[in-house]
Amino acid sequence: MKTYIVGNWKLNFTVGEASIYLHKLLKSLPIYRDIDVVVAPSLLALQPLSLQIDRHKMKLAAQNGFYQDYGAYTGEVSFSQLRGIVDYAIVGHSERRYILGEDDKMIAKKVDAAIRNKVTPILCIGETESERAFGETSDVIKDQLAGGLREVSDDEIDKVIIAYEPVWAISSTKAAKIATPDEIADAVKLIRKCLADMYGVKLADKVPVLFGGSVNSSNAGGYLTVPGVNGLLIGGASLILNEFVDIIDTAKRVRS
Ligand code: PGA
């Protein structure tokens, strides 16, 4: 299976800044056949960057998309509009769940809309700090997986990527809130078991599972060697060119 290195730029960079970053990134990247390098800029930058990008070297992701293809939905952008511009879309990120109020029902419709429009959804799941403290991690993982994949058939599950992002480990500066490879290993094992229960082992094995949460160039290697982890979803560190390139290089080293 390929390795996925995905940079989530969140609400950062103007269109101009994004274009300059992309230019520098493309210059420093060779073509890696076994690594999919992906960046998720703001919606506004996607269209111009899609003209600038070298798709042999990397791909674009949207940070979000709407579940209807068209209609009276002021302010939304649909996956049918994103089709052809992006290859991937982050769906159900915890910031959208907890700041923007998205629930599993809406997230399931977005996953479905992405697949319908030939965009690969990167479905984010993960427990909050208090859910972990109350011993609810397994239930949250199971519920968010079953909820988010509700509309996904056996024929479609190989078009989905799962990202395990424990909410307590996102944008963390404190060592206690950085997930350890062991903690991730347990969660990823559970994710793979849930996928196997839902779709059978053969199909479940085709689903890439990424880890995200304060990944940087120092810890990326450790995370990438956790069994069952096929890549990384990176926020803060993906905004720093050298860091992001170092993480991609690490992925190349670890995987070869
Ligand atoms: P972080 O963000 O790497 O800054 O923790 C990851 C994410 O939210 O996807």
Side-chain angles (χ1 to χ4, degrees), residues 8 10 93-95 165 169-172 212-215 233-237:
N8 175 10
K10 307 191 181 184
H93 189 281
S94 59
E95 285 147 18
E165 295 208 306
I170 292 178
S171 307
S172 184
S214 305
V215 174
L233 179 53
I234 307 140

Side-chain angles (χ1 to χ4, degrees), residues 14-203:
T14 62
V15 175
E17 287 165 348
S19 171
I20 292 169
Y21 181 112
L22 193 74
H23 175 76
K24 291 182 186 161
L25 179 60
L26 286 169
K27 253 179 43 188
S28 47
L29 268 192
I31 295 174
Y32 288 132
R33 300 207 185 283
D34 45 356
I35 301 180
D36 250 18
V37 178
V38 182
V39 291
S42 87
L43 194 57
L44 201 57
L46 283 174
Q47 207 275 336
L49 296 197
S50 74
L51 303 176
Q52 183 184 342
I53 207 160
D54 175 349
R55 285 181 191 233
H56 296 293
K57 288 192 177 180
M58 55 181 299
K59 308 270 169 43
L60 288 176
Q63 296 177 18
N64 181 33
F66 193 55
Y67 55 79
Q68 297 287 2
D69 286 349
Y70 56 88
Y73 302 102
T74 302
E76 293 296 339
V77 171
S78 67
F79 287 103
S80 60
Q81 292 171 319
L82 290 165
R83 184 179 187 149
I85 294 176
V86 298
D87 288 285
Y88 299 94
I90 299 170
V91 178
H93 189 281
S94 59
E95 285 147 18
R96 297 209 61 86
R97 289 177 190 264
Y98 301 112
I99 303 173
L100 281 307
E102 292 192 8
D103 59 12
D104 284 327
K105 214 167 143 203
M106 182 189 280
I107 290 164
K109 288 195 211 169
K110 291 186 173 195
V111 168
D112 186 41
I115 295 172
R116 180 169 78 234
N117 285 293
K118 310 261 180 283
V119 172
T120 300
I122 303 172
L123 170 64
C124 298
I125 59 168
E127 79 286 1
T128 62
E129 189 170 13
S130 62
E131 286 164 343
R132 174 163 279 256
F134 284 115
E136 294 167 0
T137 301
S138 306
D139 289 342
V140 172
I141 288 177
K142 280 185 210 159
D143 289 351
Q144 290 185 350
L145 261 185
L149 296 175
R150 195 182 340 221
E151 310 282 338
V152 179
S153 67
D154 284 5
D155 291 343
E156 295 168 331
I157 189 62
D158 63 343
K159 299 176 180 74
V160 173
I161 295 175
I162 305 294
Y164 173 59
E165 295 208 306
V167 183
W168 51 272
I170 292 178
S171 307
S172 184
T173 45
K174 297 191 196 109
K177 293 202 182 163
I178 303 279
T180 64
D182 282 349
E183 287 167 328
I184 298 164
D186 289 345
V188 170
K189 214 169 165 188
L190 177 66
I191 290 170
R192 294 219 165 269
K193 184 184 174 308
C194 292
L195 288 171
D197 289 345
M198 292 165 75
Y199 296 98
V201 180
K202 221 169 134 199
L203 290 178

